[in-house]
Amino acid sequence: MTTHVITGAGSGIGAAVSRRLAERGDELWLLARDAGRAKELEQRFPGARTIVGDLALPEKLSWALGHQALPERVDSLLHIAGVVELGPVGELTPKVWNQQLAVNLVAPAELTRLLLPQLRHTRGQVVFVNSGAGLRANGQWAGYAASKHGLKALADALRAEERGNGLRVTSVYPGRTATPMQVKVHQQEGEEYDPARWADPESVAATLLTALDLPRDAEITDLSVRPGS
Ligand SMILES: NC(=O)c1ccc[n+]([C@@H]2O[C@H](COP(=O)([O-])OP(=O)(O)OC[C@H]3O[C@@H](n4cnc5c(N)ncnc54)[C@H](OP(=O)(O)O)[C@@H]3O)[C@@H](O)[C@H]2O)c1
């Protein structure tokens, strides 16, 4: 049985990935921010196990994970959760910076650290859902783009460090995707939202699964997926 630990399973891209993996009978351990959210995920994905941990508080993840059941083997760790807050550098407060850096960068690093023994045991895979903003930073996007540029650095360093242990590390860089996050981005930009203009989360999920299902003789390190025309 293939076992995946997934963040962000309750919405958007993470929900699409989790549904596809559940449908094929894989074992899912879904990280939820609190017990109420965990219950919702258990109802939505029957048979899935949950882990409670708030990614906005990465310094508490070690204690939280130390006090609940964890999978004995982890074939893949899928970092999909994320948050976005737009604004010019002149107006971004430390609180806004810290929240995005915590959820988008420090928590994925900490969760990876905590699950590395299980990942090394299976010679598993870590997938980071990054963003086009992890490769280019536009105006208004400093906080989010910095967190995603950092996430690319985390993935690249982890790949170099863990190659000898047989781990594969993949960064996926979606363009704009029709999810609740994109609704929020449009609100912050003051633009009208038309989901038909953006990539379907199912297409991004298919991209991620391509990297996951690649035979073990090869590794997809970086994969960009943009809205089609
Ligand atoms: N949508 C896009 O256009 C787009 C483009 C490029 C990259 N991305 C990236 O793709 C990933 C998925 O985004 P999405 O569009 O699917 O977003 P989404 O629909 O807003 O879902 C975000 C997920 O992250 C979880 N999350 C947020 N803060 C959390 C916390 N403190 N603790 C635990 N979980 C937390 C949310 O949990 P709750 O349900 O409990 O809030 C939710 O499940 C993100 O990393 C995002 O940066 C998205």
Side-chain angles (χ1 to χ4, degrees):
M1 174 86 73
T2 307
T3 304
H4 311 276
V5 175
I6 307 174
T7 71
S11 181
I13 296 168
V17 168
S18 302
R19 192 181 47 71
R20 281 168 180 249
L21 293 173
E23 274 171 10
R24 68 193 206 186
D26 289 0
E27 181 175 320
L28 306 188
W29 289 70
L30 309 176
L31 182 130
R33 66 171 74 225
D34 58 32
R37 222 49 195 113
K39 203 156 247 142
E40 285 172 27
L41 287 176
E42 283 162 12
Q43 282 162 1
R44 185 168 180 178
F45 299 101
R49 306 282 302 268
T50 51
I51 303 168
V52 175
D54 186 350
L55 300 177
L57 301 169
E59 66 280 8
K60 298 204 168 151
L61 285 174
S62 175
W63 187 92
L65 268 61
H67 287 79
Q68 50 194 316
L70 294 179
E72 274 171 26
R73 55 174 292 133
V74 178
D75 295 283
S76 84
L77 170 56
L78 310 180
H79 296 286
I80 308 181
V83 291
V84 65
E85 215 54 66
L86 302 191
V89 174
E91 292 175 17
L92 285 183
T93 60
K95 188 176 174 195
V96 177
W97 274 101
N98 283 334
Q99 187 218 9
Q100 291 181 95
L101 289 168
V103 175
N104 295 352
L105 175 58
V106 183
E110 176 64 348
L111 206 52
T112 303
R113 183 179 78 87
L114 296 171
L115 292 174
L116 259 185
Q118 290 95 318
L119 286 158
R120 285 176 179 150
H121 179 69
T122 57
R123 300 172 77 80
Q125 184 159 358
V126 183
V127 179
F128 297 94
V129 173
N130 200 301
S131 166
L135 300 169
R136 293 165 304 280
N138 294 323
Q140 309 291 324
W141 288 78
Y144 179 79
S147 71
K148 294 294 193 177
H149 274 68
L151 194 65
K152 179 184 187 304
L154 166 62
D156 290 347
L158 181 71
R159 185 179 308 110
E161 291 165 9
E162 296 296 329
R163 184 166 292 131
N165 291 321
L167 260 70
R168 300 197 298 193
V169 179
T170 301
S171 291
V172 177
Y173 305 87
R176 290 184 185 238
T177 306
T179 71
M181 176 182 280
Q182 197 50 236
V183 174
K184 179 179 176 183
V185 166
H186 277 67
Q187 282 164 357
Q188 294 191 339
E189 290 175 328
E191 299 285 342
E192 203 172 310
Y193 177 66
D194 174 7
R197 289 182 61 199
W198 310 122
D200 191 309
E202 294 294 335
S203 303
V204 180
T207 306
L208 192 152
L209 261 64
T210 300
L212 212 53
D213 292 341
L214 191 73
R216 294 289 323 181
D217 62 287
E219 171 184 33
I220 293 176
T221 58
D222 300 271
L223 199 47
S224 287
V225 48
R226 322 289 309 165
S229 51

